[in-house]
Amino acid sequence: MLSATWTRAEEHGAEQMVPISIQHVVKTFGRVRALDDVSLEIERGELFFLLGPSGCGKTTLLRSIAGFYTPDSGSIRFGERDVTTLPPQKRNTGMMFQNYALWPHMSVEANVAFGLKVRSVARAERSRRVAEALAMVRMSEYAKRKPNQLSGGQQQRVALARAMVIRPQCLLLDEPLSNLDAKLRLEMRSEIRRLCKEFNLTGVYVTHDQKEALSMADRMAVMFKGRVAQLGPPEELYCKPLSADVADFLGETNFLDATALDVSSEGQRFRTAAGDLLSANGRAAKGARCRVSIRPEALQIAAIGDSAARREADVNHVEGVVRERVYLGEAAQLELAVGSTILRLNLTERADRPEIGLRSPMAVSVDPRDVIVLSA
Ligand code: ATP
C-alpha cells in the first residue's frame, strides 16, 4: 500500500500540478518550421495528447515543454512561471521516452533512485520514495532485479516509476508504448491513465497512434506541418472533425464529394454520388461544393425493398451491391458499390452473417448526425 508521504490526488496540493500555457511558439531547424505559431492551454491535472503524422512537430513541442529546445519566439508557462528559457533540470518535469533506457548494470531500485540522488535527497527519504514509486507501478517485488530480468512491460513500469519518483509537476511522455506488443500496450494505457488521474498529474503525451489517443486522452490536439489543426475531447474530434485531414487521420472514413442543397429544420441536404444525404450538423451555402465524411461504423444495414417507398421511410437510405468482404475478427468490413462509388461499412454484430455474400444487393442507412460536412 502507498504510504501517506506520497500524496494522492486529494492531498496532492494544487501547486504540485500545473496548467501549461503555450503561446505563439515558433521553432525552426534551418529551413524547417517544426512549430509554426502553436498556441494551446493544457489544464491542471489533464491528460493531454499531441497527435499527428510523422514530422508534424509533436516531439519538438514536447521537447520545448521539457526544456530541451528553446523556441525561436513565443512563450511557455507552467502556471504563473515563465519557463521558456529555463533548462530542463529546473522545470521539475518527469519524462518517459519511447526508448526507456534503464541502466542495465543497476538494479530496478537503483534506476528509480537515480533522479533523487542527483537531487541530493537523503538516503532514508530516498529509500522510502523509491519504495512508494515502485508500489505505485506495482513493481515492489522486482526491486532487486536487473532490467534484463524483466519483461518489456515491466521495464516500462520501472521507467514510469523513475519519472514519477521526483514528484514532477507534469509528466511528459514521448511514444512511451511503441516498443511494446499489442496486449502490453493496452495494459500500460490504463496504467498510465490511472497514475495520472490518481496523482492528479498534468500529462502531455505524444503519439501517432490515434487509438491510443482516443482511448486515453482528456483532450487532444491533432497537428499537421507544425500547426494545430484541431483541439478538443476525443469524441468531438472523432465525430466532428473540422477538416478532411483530421477525419482521415483519426480513423477510417468514407469521403463523398457533395453539393449543398436546401436547409430544413432537420438539417441540410447534400447531393452525392450515393444519392441525396441529410446532415444534421452541416451548414454550407446552397450550391457550395464540399465533402461529407461517414465513418464505416455509422452505416447501418437497412431493409431492402421498394426503393422509392424506402427512401420516403428511411432517411439517408442507400442501396448497392456487396463488392468485397473482409473478416476483421471483431467485425466484418463490407464494401458496398453504389454505382461507381464505394462505401465501406463495419458490421460488428453477427459478423458471420452468411446471407450477405458477394454480389448480394444490400441497403444501408445513416443517421443524419453521422453525416459530417467538411470544407472541400
Ligand atoms: P515523429 O512522429 O516521426 O517523431 P514528430 O511529429 O515528432 O515526428 P518532430 O520530431 O517534432 O516531428 O519534427 C518536426 C520537423 O522538424 C521534421 O520535419 C523534422 O525533420 C524536423 N526536425 C526535428 N528535430 C530536428 C533537428 N534536431 N534538426 C533538424 N530538423 C529537425
Side-chain angles (χ1 to χ4, degrees):
M1 276 291 92
L2 301 180
S3 83
T5 50
W6 181 279
T7 44
R8 282 175 183 277
E10 60 270 22
E11 306 150 15
H12 208 71
E15 79 287 350
Q16 187 73 30
M17 33 147 192
V18 284
I20 301 171
S21 173
I22 293 157
Q23 288 298 323
H24 302 293
V25 166
V26 173
K27 177 70 186 170
T28 51
F29 297 106
R31 287 191 184 167
V32 177
R33 225 170 151 79
L35 297 175
D36 189 6
D37 195 13
V38 171
S39 295
L40 47 93
E41 304 287 333
I42 300 170
E43 289 165 19
R44 204 187 284 276
E46 179 172 49
L47 184 51
F48 190 92
F49 271 65
L50 297 170
L51 183 70
S54 186
C56 72
K58 11 182 229 306
T59 299
T60 304
L61 183 55
L62 194 80
R63 295 187 134 253
S64 303
I65 297 172
F68 295 116
Y69 292 149
T70 305
D72 302 353
S73 59
S75 69
I76 300 176
R77 303 178 79 86
F78 287 179
E80 294 302 305
R81 198 161 155 238
D82 189 329
V83 298
T84 317
T85 56
L86 214 59
Q89 66 274 18
K90 296 207 169 147
R91 296 193 184 199
N92 198 24
T93 57
M95 297 280 298
M96 188 171 163
F97 301 101
Q98 186 174 138
N99 173 0
Y100 31 86
L102 299 175
W103 287 284
H105 59 287
M106 287 188 193
S107 66
V108 163
E109 61 186 1
N111 264 284
V112 176
F114 189 81
L116 297 176
K117 225 168 168 177
V118 295
R119 284 170 172 79
S120 308
V121 173
R123 183 186 288 263
E125 169 75 357
R126 214 158 65 207
S127 308
R128 200 174 63 235
R129 280 172 62 175
V130 168
E132 285 164 5
L134 287 175
M136 258 166 32
V137 298
R138 298 171 178 151
M139 285 294 289
S140 305
E141 59 195 284
Y142 300 92
K144 304 287 179 208
R145 290 209 192 168
K146 293 274 167 55
N148 66 3
Q149 297 171 307
L150 302 175
S151 72
Q154 289 167 338
Q155 291 185 37
Q156 202 59 308
R157 280 170 198 267
V158 177
L160 195 52
R162 192 176 56 177
M164 296 280 284
V165 78
I166 61 159
R167 298 181 183 170
Q169 284 192 304
C170 60
L171 192 58
L172 306 178
L173 306 124
D174 191 356
E175 305 257 9
L177 309 184
S178 56
N179 287 335
L180 302 182
D181 65 40
K183 193 161 173 287
L184 271 178
R185 249 195 332 260
L186 283 183
E187 196 181 302
M188 284 303 291
R189 277 183 197 171
S190 45
E191 188 71 1
I192 290 175
R193 192 170 159 87
R194 173 185 74 80
L195 283 171
C196 285
K197 292 298 144 190
E198 197 166 327
F199 295 96
N200 232 343
L201 283 169
T202 307
V204 188
Y205 192 125
V206 160
T207 184
H208 60 258
D209 180 336
Q210 73 274 18
K211 286 213 170 116
E212 203 154 284
L214 290 169
S215 64
M216 291 176 73
D218 291 317
R219 287 191 311 148
M220 57 204 241
V222 179
M223 296 179 67
F224 294 107
K225 295 184 182 158
R227 287 178 164 259
V228 174
Q230 194 173 349
L231 188 158
E235 205 176 323
E236 185 179 309
L237 266 69
Y238 187 79
C239 297
K240 294 184 183 158
L242 296 175
S243 67
D245 282 343
V246 173
D248 200 26
F249 191 76
L250 289 182
E252 202 172 356
T253 195
N254 296 290
F255 287 120
L256 295 168
D257 290 332
T259 306
L261 304 174
D262 294 329
V263 176
S264 69
S265 58
E266 295 162 323
Q268 186 167 19
R269 288 196 167 272
F270 290 83
R271 180 139 299 157
T272 78
D276 288 358
L277 296 174
L278 179 68
S279 168
N281 315 296
R283 287 290 176 272
K286 196 172 169 183
R289 303 281 304 151
C290 43
R291 283 218 271 182
V292 297
S293 157
I294 302 171
R295 297 276 182 206
E297 67 274 15
L299 287 162
Q300 308 290 330
I301 296 185
I304 204 154
D306 175 352
S307 240
R310 276 283 155 207
R311 265 181 231 282
E312 285 294 302
D314 264 354
V315 191
N316 294 342
H317 180 93
V318 178
E319 293 190 2
V321 174
V322 177
R323 192 186 83 145
E324 187 66 88
R325 189 190 162 96
V326 181
Y327 180 63
L328 300 174
E330 77 285 4
Q333 186 168 84
L334 301 183
E335 284 185 9
L336 186 69
V338 184
S340 59
T341 298
I342 302 297
L343 291 178
R344 277 162 300 161
L345 64 144
N346 287 351
L347 297 184
T348 46
E349 284 167 41
R350 297 187 54 208
D352 58 345
R353 288 181 188 211
E355 73 275 17
I356 308 174
L358 291 184
R359 289 178 289 281
S360 332
M362 189 177 156
V364 293
S365 66
V366 54
D367 189 309
R369 287 171 300 183
D370 292 326
V371 178
I372 308 302
V373 179
L374 307 164
S375 47

